[in-house]
Amino acid sequence: SQQGEEDPQALSIQEGENATMNCSYKTSINNLQWYRQNSGRGLVHLILIRSNEREKHSGRLRVTLDTSKKSSSLLITASRAADTASYFCASYSGYALNFGKGTSLLVTP
Amino acid sequence: NAGVTQTPKFQVLKTGQSMTLQCAQDMNHEYMSWYRQDPGMGLRLIHYSVGAGITDQGEVPNGYNVSRSTTEDFPLRLLSAAPSQTSVYFCASSYGGRGSEKLFFGSGTQLSVL
C-alpha cells in the first residue's frame, strides 16, 4: 500500500526560488527516503533521514522529519531548470519500500 | 559500472501473450524488487526478493510471476497479458534485505498490451 502522500501534486517556480514539498506517512518508520525521477527515467535516490534525526542536508537539499506528525519536507534551495522532475517520498513497511504519488516540480528559466 | 539493467526498454504485446521482463544487477545486492508505475498512481510494488531462492508478493502481484535463482537476476513474467498491465515497469535493488536501505533503479520497461 502507498505509505506516503506528497503535497502539492504539482509545483511551478522560477529559477533561483526555493521549492518545498511535503510528505505525510501512515505508520511508524525506521527511515524516510526521497527520490527524484526525471521524465522517462528511473528513480534516483536523493537523501535518507532516519527516525531519530530531525533535519538533514545534502548540497542544496534540506530534509526535515517530524515523527510526531508523521510528516517530512524536502526543500530545494536556489532551484535550477535541471531540478525539473518528479519527487517521491518513500518508507518501508517490512521489506516493502512504499512510495507516494509524487510531486511534479517545474522550474522555469 | 552497469548498475541495474532492464530489458527490453519497450514492448508491445497482444492480450493473452506471455513474456518475461529481464532485470540484472552487478552490485551483489541481496534485495531486488519490481514496481509498476501508472499515471496518477505513483509506484506500486509487484514482487520482491530478499535473496536467491526467496520471493514474496507486494501490493499488486496478480498476473505476475517471479523467481530468483541467482543473486544477479530477477525476471518478471507476465503469464497472460491483459490491457490493465499496460504500464512502465521498474526493477530496483539494494544492498541489504533488512528493510532499511536505499534502492537503485533500472531505466524501466514501457509495456503496452493491446
Side-chain angles (χ1 to χ4, degrees):
Chain A
S1 61
Q2 286 174 316
Q3 166 80 305
E5 189 150 333
E6 293 88 348
D7 172 61
Q9 290 186 336
L11 181 61
S12 182
I13 60 174
Q14 291 190 318
E15 272 192 323
E17 294 181 337
N18 296 341
T20 300
M21 289 157 261
N22 302 298
C23 169
S24 59
Y25 58 92
K26 298 174 183 175
T27 61
S28 61
I29 57 171
N30 292 325
N31 65 64
L32 188 131
Q33 304 180 31
W34 285 89
Y35 289 78
R36 183 187 73 222
Q37 183 180 34
N38 290 92
S39 181
R41 311 292 288 271
L43 279 73
V44 175
H45 181 266
L46 292 176
I47 195 165
L48 181 153
I49 185 166
R50 302 193 186 282
S51 58
N52 61 353
E53 298 176 312
R54 292 295 170 260
E55 188 170 308
K56 196 164 184 178
H57 296 254
S58 177
R60 293 186 295 112
L61 304 180
R62 188 187 84 163
V63 170
T64 62
L65 180 64
D66 187 335
T67 54
S68 67
K69 295 181 179 178
K70 291 187 170 59
S71 67
S72 174
S73 67
L74 171 67
L75 169 67
I76 304 174
T77 60
S79 295
R80 306 165 182 169
D83 294 326
T84 293
S86 292
Y87 293 81
F88 297 86
C89 66
S91 59
Y92 276 98
S93 174
Y95 288 107
L97 184 61
N98 297 310
F99 289 81
K101 296 180 181 180
T103 291
S104 178
L105 173 65
L106 175 63
V107 182
T108 55
Chain B
N1 215 4
V4 180
T5 303
Q6 290 184 238
T7 56
K9 293 191 182 302
F10 303 94
Q11 183 70 48
V12 178
L13 292 177
K14 294 181 179 178
T15 297
Q17 286 185 317
S18 62
M19 78 158 294
T20 300
L21 279 63
Q22 301 292 345
C23 176
Q25 53 88 10
D26 62 357
M27 298 174 282
N28 201 29
H29 284 172
E30 296 178 16
Y31 181 94
M32 297 185 74
S33 55
W34 277 101
Y35 290 86
R36 60 177 289 173
Q37 185 176 31
D38 303 294
M41 298 294 293
L43 280 85
R44 291 182 293 171
L45 182 64
I46 304 171
H47 285 285
Y48 66 93
S49 169
V50 298
I54 307 169
T55 63
D56 207 346
Q57 296 180 350
E59 180 186 358
V60 288
N62 292 340
Y64 307 95
N65 199 6
V66 293
S67 60
R68 184 96 179 269
S69 57
T70 67
T71 300
E72 295 78 19
D73 300 300
F74 190 44
L76 178 72
R77 297 182 185 86
L78 279 69
L79 308 174
S80 177
S84 61
Q85 294 179 303
T86 293
S87 187
V88 181
Y89 291 84
F90 290 99
C91 179
S93 71
S94 70
Y95 177 69
R98 294 178 290 276
S100 63
E101 306 290 333
K102 68 179 184 181
L103 291 184
F104 294 80
F105 279 82
S107 57
T109 295
Q110 189 167 323
L111 175 68
S112 294
V113 183
L114 306 178

